[in-house]
Amino acid sequence: MIPTILAAAPPSSDWITLDFASLAQNFWSATFDGLTFGSIYALVALGYTLVYGVLNLINFAHSEVFILGCYGVWFTLSFLGFGPSAPNLGVGAIVVNLLLALIIGIIASALTAFLLERLAYKPLRKRNAPRLVFLITAIGASFTIQYLIFLWRGPVPEQALTMFKVKPIFEVFGTYIYNDQLLIVTAAIIMMVIIERFISKSRTGRGIRAVAQDPDTATLMGVNKEKIIITTFVIGGILAGAAALFYTMKIPSGVVYNGGFILGIKAFAAAVLGGIGNVRGALLGGLLLGLIGNYGQILLGNSQWTDVVAFLVLVLVLLFRPEGILGTSLGRSKA
Amino acid sequence: MNRKKVMTTLAAAATLGMILGGCANTAAPEGGSTSDGGSSSINIPALTSIDTPPNAVLPAGDGKAKCEATTTLAYVGAETGANAQLGINIFNGVQLAINQHNAANPDCQVQFKKFDTEGDPNKATGPVTQATKEEGIIGVVGLPFSGESKATGNIFEQVKLVHITPAATNPGLTENGWTTFFRGLGNDAVQGPAAAKFMTDKLQAKKVYIVQDDSEYGIGLGATTAEGLGDALVGTDKVTTGQKDFSATISKIMNAKADAVFYSGYYAEGAPFDQQLVNKGYTGTFVGPDGLKDDQFIKQAGDASKNAYFTCPCIPGELIPSFEKDYKALTGIEPGTYSIEGYDAATVLLAGIDAGNQDRAKLLEWVKTYDKDGLSKHYKWNDKGELAAPTVYGYKVENGKIVPIGAIGE
C-alpha cells in the first residue's frame, strides 16, 4: 500500500488519487452508514422544504430548531440517569426512556419552531415585509438562538450519553448491520411515509398544499392561512425533534451550541438536491447526500473530500435540473 | 384533531422502530464483537511517583539574592478565551515559583505581571508589545501556543527580551532565526517518533492506522509519527476540523484490521471519533498526542475512552510531592498540564536574577548558557532554543481520569 503511506507525508505528494479497491472493499459499510446519516439529513431537510413550500422562505434558523431538540433529548436522558456507559436496563425500559426523550425532544423543537414563527416571522408578514427581510431575519434568528445557547451552556459540548449498547445484529453482503443503523433508518422512513400521506391525504395536508400553490386563492376558499403556516412550522419542528434523538444516538458529543450548523447546511443542501418544496425530494436528497459523501471520501482516499464531493454533485445536478431531482413543488405534488 | 392524530401516529411509528431495534438488541449474543473498550492484553500500570533530580534548582535559591525593586518577570498568554485553562495552569506555576523566591529572598522581591492574549494569534501582538515596552520586565514565560508564538516572536527579538515557552510544540518555531526564543519542552518532531515507538513497543501494536486532522499541528505530527512507524503503518486517513461522522474512516480501519489508531489532532474531533470507533466493534488501542490529553476527551468519548492512551512532552507535575503540595496550597487544585513547565521556566529566569543578571541582555545570555536540572527535567538549550534532551510522557485513561504511565520513546 505504498500510495496510502505516501499520503501521510506532507501534501507535496499526489493530492488526488482514486482508490477503487478501497471503494469496493468498503462499499457496503459506506452504504449503510450513508443511509443512516442520510435519514437524519432527510428528517431535517423536510423542515426546510415544508416551510419553503408554504412561505417561499429559507428558514435558516431550522438548524437551531434541531439543536434545541438535541438539548431536549439530552436533558431528558441525563435526568433519567443515562451516563457515559451503556445503561444497565432491559430492552423495554430503554424503549420507554428513549420514547420519553423523543417526546421531549419533539416538544422542544416544535415549541422552538412555533415561537420562531410567532416572534420572528409573523410580525413581518403582518407588515408585508419584502422577502429579503425574511431572509435576514432567519439568519439573525439563527445566530440569536445559537448565542443564547452559548451564553446558557458555554462553549463545551455536553457530557456524551450512551443510549444503548450498539451491536451488530445481522450480516448483509459480508457487512454487519448495527442495531442503531436499523433503528434510525426504519424509524425515519416510517415517519417520512406518514408525513407524505398526511400532506397528500389529510384535510390539513390539503390546506398546506393549497397555501403552497396560491395563498390568496386558498384563503378565499376558506383555508385559514395563518393556521396552516403555524402547522407547517410545527410539523418541521416535530421531524427535527425526531432527528435530534437519532443524531444524539449516533453522535453523543454533538450537543453543543453550534452543533446544528453543519447539519443544517447539509439538510438544506439535501432539500435543494431533491427539489425544495417537495416532500419526497427531501427524503431522496437526504439519502443521496449521505451516500455520495461517503462513497466520495472513500474513493478519493480521505474524509476531507466528503463535502467537496457532495456539493460538487449538488451543483452538477442543479446545472441540469435547476429545480432539483424530483423538481415539483409542494403545491403541485401528486397523489 | 388532525394534529393530534399525527403526533400519535408518529409516536407509534417511533415505538415500532425502537422495538425493532430493541428486539434485535436482545437477539445478538452477549459479549459479541463489541468490546468494553480498552485492550485487554496490555496493561501498563499507572505511575505513582517520578524521580526528581537530586540537585534540581529551586526558585528559593540561597536566600541572599539582591535586586532592584523594579525587577519584573511577566507571563504572556491566555488568561481568558476558549483555551484559558492551559494558560491558568501555566501562570499559577509561575506565580508559585515567584512566591517561593520572594519568601526566601527578602532583599530581592521580583514582581510578576500578566498579559492576556486569549491564546489568539490575532490578539497576541498587542499584549506582547505592551510587555516589551515595560522597562522593568527582563524575562517572560510564554507564549503557550504555537500560533501566537509564531505571530509575536519578532517583537521579542527586536528588543532582545528572553522568553521561554512552556507549551508551544510546533517544530517550525525554532527555525525563524530567533535568538530570544527558548522552548521548555520537547517539540512535535520529538513527540511523533516517541509516539510511534510507544505504540510498537509498549502497546505491541503490529498494525497502526494514522488519522490526522487539517491543522498545522495534526499534519506535522501525523507525518513525523508515520515516519517513525515504518512498516507498522497500515493506512492513513485525513479528517476535517468540526467533522462529526467518522463512519467511512472507521470502515477503512476495520478492514485494515488495525490494532492501534493514532489520531493526530485535538479532542473535539478525537473524542467522537474514538466513541464511534468503539461502537463499531474496534477492540484495539486509541492513541493521541497532547491535543487529546484533556478531561474533555473523556467527557465526550464516554466509556469508549477506556482504550485511550496519550503522549505529551509534558511532565506530570502532580507526581512531584513538594510541587503538588505547594501548588495546591496556592490554587486549591491539583497542578494541571504544563503547570510544572511554567514553574521550571520561571525558576530558570529567577536563578538568573539571583546570579546578578538583572537586565535583558544579561538574562538572555544566562538562559543561553544555562545547564542545570529543573524539578521536572534537565534544562540546556541548543543554539536554536530547543532543549538538548526533551522528555515525552505516556498517559492513559484509568477510572475516568488521565494518569501518567511513564516516560516513553527513550
Side-chain angles (χ1 to χ4, degrees):
Chain A
M1 294 288 276
I2 290 159
T4 46
I5 290 172
L6 277 176
S12 59
S13 59
D14 289 346
W15 67 279
I16 182 162
T17 49
L18 293 181
D19 193 345
F20 289 100
S22 174
L23 182 61
Q25 198 181 20
N26 296 292
F27 183 79
W28 289 110
S29 56
T31 306
F32 302 144
D33 286 320
L35 289 176
T36 311
F37 278 93
S39 316
I40 299 175
Y41 297 152
L43 282 175
V44 181
L46 264 178
Y48 287 99
T49 268
L50 287 173
V51 168
Y52 183 85
V54 170
L55 284 184
N56 275 341
L57 160 73
I58 298 165
N59 179 15
F60 280 111
H62 192 59
S63 51
E64 278 59 51
V65 170
F66 162 79
I67 202 69
L68 279 164
C70 291
Y71 275 96
V73 168
W74 187 86
F75 275 109
T76 315
L77 289 179
S78 64
F79 176 76
L80 292 170
F82 282 70
S85 313
N88 210 356
L89 295 169
V91 175
I94 291 180
V95 169
V96 171
N97 281 329
L98 292 195
L99 263 182
L100 208 59
L102 176 73
I103 291 167
I104 303 286
I106 283 178
I107 291 175
S109 281
L111 192 69
T112 311
F114 177 83
L115 290 176
L116 186 68
E117 206 285 321
R118 276 292 128 103
L119 299 177
Y121 303 135
K122 197 182 176 190
L124 294 180
R125 261 203 321 281
K126 258 189 178 162
R127 287 170 183 77
N128 262 330
R131 200 180 290 175
L132 198 60
V133 176
F134 278 91
L135 195 70
I136 294 296
T137 307
I139 295 172
S142 170
F143 278 115
T144 307
I145 301 175
Q146 232 180 73
Y147 281 90
L148 284 178
I149 303 175
F150 177 86
L151 291 169
W152 173 43
R153 304 297 302 172
V156 184
E158 306 299 331
Q159 161 83 53
L161 303 177
T162 310
M163 300 191 191
F164 53 85
K165 208 173 160 87
V166 176
K167 279 179 197 158
I169 43 177
F170 52 82
E171 222 180 303
V172 183
F173 308 116
T175 306
Y176 285 120
I177 303 255
Y178 290 81
N179 49 2
D180 59 341
Q181 293 176 330
L182 188 71
L183 189 147
I184 290 171
V185 175
T186 320
I189 289 180
I190 291 175
M191 284 182 198
M192 302 288 246
V193 170
I194 292 175
I195 284 298
E196 222 279 323
R197 306 290 291 172
F198 175 74
I199 301 277
S200 61
K201 291 279 185 306
S202 77
R203 199 180 148 80
T204 315
R206 272 204 300 279
I208 291 177
R209 282 184 293 138
V211 174
Q213 222 165 37
D214 187 340
D216 295 331
T217 316
T219 313
L220 289 175
M221 296 296 170
V223 177
N224 184 342
K225 188 179 146 200
E226 286 301 311
K227 203 177 143 199
I228 289 295
I229 289 173
I230 202 81
T231 310
T232 310
F233 269 90
V234 169
I235 292 176
I238 290 174
L239 294 168
L245 176 79
F246 302 140
Y247 183 76
T248 317
M249 188 181 290
K250 280 306 274 185
I251 299 165
S253 61
V255 190
V256 63
Y257 74 101
N258 59 0
F261 179 72
I262 291 185
L263 190 103
I265 298 266
K266 292 221 169 154
F268 175 60
V272 174
L273 181 64
I276 192 149
N278 184 316
V279 176
R280 290 180 188 175
L283 174 63
L284 183 71
L287 296 180
L288 273 181
L289 203 70
L291 289 174
I292 293 166
N294 260 9
Y295 294 149
Q297 64 171 301
I298 288 180
L299 182 64
L300 286 156
N302 72 61
S303 308
Q304 288 163 2
W305 287 101
T306 316
D307 294 344
V308 179
V309 175
F311 284 91
L312 213 62
V313 170
L314 177 71
V315 170
L316 281 178
V317 168
L318 294 183
L319 271 182
F320 294 101
R321 285 192 68 87
E323 291 207 309
I325 297 173
L326 295 186
T328 49
S329 75
L330 186 64
R332 274 174 280 141
S333 80
K334 287 184 223 85
Chain B
M1 268 294 273
N2 262 327
R3 205 181 304 162
K4 216 179 197 175
K5 223 171 172 180
V6 179
M7 288 281 270
T8 351
T9 356
L10 272 179
T15 324
L16 191 71
M18 289 199 183
I19 289 172
L20 245 173
C23 287
N25 204 353
T26 43
E30 276 300 324
S33 67
T34 44
S35 78
D36 296 315
S39 183
S40 50
S41 57
I42 303 145
N43 186 22
I44 307 171
L47 273 192
T48 49
S49 67
I50 56 173
D51 296 330
T52 47
N55 299 317
V57 177
L58 294 174
D62 58 6
K64 293 174 199 152
K66 285 190 173 56
C67 64
E68 297 280 334
T70 53
T71 310
T72 309
L73 292 182
Y75 160 82
V76 187
E79 288 176 60
T80 61
N83 297 305
Q85 190 55 47
L86 212 56
I88 295 167
N89 292 346
I90 294 165
F91 72 65
N92 278 333
V94 177
Q95 181 78 62
L96 177 63
I98 291 179
N99 286 0
Q100 289 178 348
H101 172 269
N102 291 354
N105 296 277
D107 293 332
C108 182
Q109 296 295 307
V110 175
Q111 294 183 37
F112 182 37
K113 283 196 176 149
K114 290 184 276 195
F115 298 85
D116 187 10
T117 63
E118 297 178 37
D120 183 344
N122 301 320
K123 292 179 183 152
T125 45
V128 169
T129 309
Q130 210 186 332
T132 53
K133 283 195 174 142
E134 288 202 23
E135 295 289 323
I137 295 174
I138 59 170
V140 169
V141 176
L143 284 52
F145 302 123
S146 296
E148 54 180 6
S149 298
K150 193 176 177 181
T152 57
N154 278 329
I155 307 175
F156 286 110
E157 197 60 24
Q158 278 163 15
V159 294
K160 297 287 170 211
L161 177 57
V162 62
H163 56 124
I164 305 175
T165 176
T169 55
N170 188 296
L173 290 174
T174 49
E175 303 295 330
N176 293 307
W178 296 333
T179 58
T180 52
F181 177 86
F182 296 88
R183 198 196 309 264
L185 74 173
N187 67 24
D188 293 338
V190 178
Q191 191 181 179
K197 202 162 182 295
F198 173 66
M199 288 187 279
T200 51
D201 290 3
K202 284 207 172 142
L203 297 178
Q204 296 159 23
K206 303 276 184 291
K207 293 178 171 180
V208 181
Y209 210 100
I210 293 184
V211 179
Q212 67 191 39
D213 70 1
D214 52 7
S215 70
E216 202 172 338
Y217 167 76
I219 294 168
L221 200 53
T224 56
T225 311
E227 216 167 284
L229 281 171
D231 292 341
L233 180 67
V234 292
T236 61
D237 201 346
K238 300 170 194 170
V239 298
T240 55
T241 302
Q243 192 172 331
K244 294 285 181 197
D245 164 24
F246 297 92
S247 53
T249 304
I250 291 166
S251 163
K252 287 195 272 181
I253 293 173
M254 299 303 280
N255 270 326
K257 304 211 162 30
D259 52 8
V261 171
F262 184 76
Y263 182 75
S264 184
Y266 299 94
Y267 63 78
E269 292 78 29
F273 176 37
D274 186 26
Q275 174 257 330
Q276 292 172 32
L277 194 59
V278 170
N279 263 353
K280 278 281 166 74
Y282 173 76
T283 54
T285 50
F286 188 86
V287 185
D290 49 336
L292 256 60
K293 182 188 167 284
D294 191 292
D295 288 340
Q296 277 297 328
F297 179 85
I298 299 175
K299 197 175 148 198
Q300 291 174 34
D303 264 15
S305 63
K306 283 178 189 162
N307 71 349
Y309 290 84
F310 312 97
T311 62
C312 183
C314 53
I315 277 75
E318 64 273 22
L319 293 187
I320 303 170
S322 59
F323 178 70
E324 194 253 7
K325 192 174 120 264
D326 295 341
Y327 188 94
K328 218 170 167 178
L330 176 72
T331 62
I333 51 165
E334 291 270 310
T337 302
Y338 298 129
S339 289
I340 187 79
E341 280 75 14
Y343 177 86
D344 268 357
T347 306
V348 170
L349 298 173
L350 288 166
I353 293 170
D354 291 359
N357 304 292
Q358 295 171 0
D359 61 44
R360 287 181 181 180
K362 279 185 183 162
L363 196 59
L364 175 60
E365 206 50 45
W366 164 264
V367 176
K368 259 184 198 164
T369 55
Y370 194 82
D371 185 6
K372 289 192 176 89
D373 281 333
L375 207 47
S376 69
K377 56 183 173 286
H378 191 78
Y379 286 86
K380 178 185 194 305
W381 284 276
N382 68 14
D383 52 358
K384 286 179 172 174
E386 295 283 8
L387 276 183
T391 326
V392 180
Y393 261 75
Y395 294 79
K396 71 167 180 178
V397 176
E398 191 176 84
N399 301 327
K401 280 176 92 175
I402 296 173
V403 295
I405 52 177
I408 59 168
E410 282 159 356

